Amino acid sequence: MKKTLVTALAAGALFVAGNGVATAADAPPPKTTHGPCQYTETPDEPPARPVPLPPDPRHTPSRGKVDVAIPTSQGALPLTLDRAKAPCTVQGFLHLARHRFYDHTVCHRLTAYPTLKVLQCGDPTATGEGGPGYKYKDELPVDLPPAPTDPTGARRVYARGLLAMANAGPDTNGSQFFVVYGDSALRPNYTVFGTVGAEGLRTLDKVAAGGIQPTAEDPAPVDGTPVLRTELLRVRPDCWF
């Protein structure tokens, strides 16, 4: 599971020198919060919607759970966030919800591989390239069981009903997340920060049954845009911080 980010003109991006135009050397360093989560601006990947860096208190809340109500165009998708598993991730998700970053966004990716069954959301551009304009550290799971389909033991079971962050490599978490509608075998490189409620699983099953939009290149895809357009109408936690 890997989110797609804009990589053209990445770090070391092209700047025209002279005539008062800033060069890479003149650019200020990205802003980083000073708490344990260290949310860091990504100047080469600006926010898909305006949003500040999240709060980063010295004592990040690391106990308790937060219920999040998400009505979608295909049905309810209730989530329960677990601060103990991933305090920085939960804090970042709540921050984005408070700023309505997720409202009226469309889940852009559905997979239907035998060992990867997820719906991916959280990008306001619905392209897989959008994010909040910052990144933060991984909080990787250590308690997932080995995947029986992987004799090497490298992959773990991301079980049906888990909620996890998508990423583009180590410590590149942003806004994109995925929900698992069928047991999936993945390397444990994706932060798990909650679960999907029973009503949400019924919604996911509906979206999965609708299938993936075919293309000229692939008339029977197992990875791509869901046929059933799934829009997150609003994201409202029962409490904030």
Side-chain angles (χ1 to χ4, degrees):
M1 171 58 65
K2 183 177 182 180
K3 70 180 181 182
T4 303
L5 297 178
V6 177
T7 56
L9 299 182
L14 177 64
F15 292 90
V16 179
N19 296 321
V21 177
T23 66
D26 297 324
K31 293 180 181 178
T32 301
T33 60
H34 299 295
C37 299
Q38 294 188 327
Y39 302 103
T40 302
E41 285 184 338
T42 54
D44 298 317
E45 296 162 4
R49 289 179 175 174
V51 63
L53 291 176
D56 191 4
R58 189 176 191 87
H59 299 291
T60 306
S62 59
R63 298 173 63 184
K65 297 181 179 181
V66 181
D67 291 328
V68 181
I70 306 181
T72 83
S73 55
Q74 299 300 333
L77 187 66
L79 306 178
T80 298
L81 313 186
D82 190 338
R83 284 190 169 111
K85 285 187 177 296
C88 293
T89 302
V90 171
Q91 182 148 288
F93 188 96
L94 294 175
H95 168 76
L96 292 173
R98 182 173 66 176
H99 286 273
R100 300 188 176 183
F101 185 90
Y102 290 124
D103 289 6
H104 300 289
T105 59
V106 176
C107 297
H108 61 277
R109 183 186 184 195
L110 178 68
T111 66
Y113 296 99
T115 57
L116 182 62
K117 299 180 183 297
V118 306
L119 178 68
Q120 188 167 328
C121 314
D123 171 12
T125 72
T127 63
E129 298 179 352
Y134 63 80
K135 62 183 179 180
Y136 60 95
K137 68 179 185 178
D138 294 325
E139 297 171 294
L140 300 179
V142 296
D143 57 353
L144 300 178
T149 56
D150 182 7
T152 71
R155 289 172 175 77
R156 296 289 186 269
V157 175
Y158 280 69
R160 172 175 164 85
L162 284 187
L163 166 69
M165 291 301 294
N167 64 54
D171 302 320
T172 60
N173 302 288
S175 63
Q176 292 189 40
F177 61 92
F178 62 93
V179 282
V180 184
Y181 69 89
D183 289 0
S184 299
L186 289 166
R187 294 180 183 275
N189 297 337
Y190 307 94
T191 297
V192 173
F193 67 106
T195 55
V196 183
E199 191 175 4
L201 290 175
R202 290 192 290 272
T203 299
L204 291 177
D205 289 342
K206 175 185 175 182
V207 175
I212 298 165
Q213 290 184 9
T215 65
E217 297 77 19
D218 189 351
V222 292
D223 189 343
T225 304
V227 169
L228 296 181
R229 186 178 187 274
T230 306
E231 179 182 349
L232 310 184
L233 302 177
R234 61 183 182 274
V235 180
R236 294 291 181 272
D238 287 347
C239 65
W240 292 113
F241 294 95

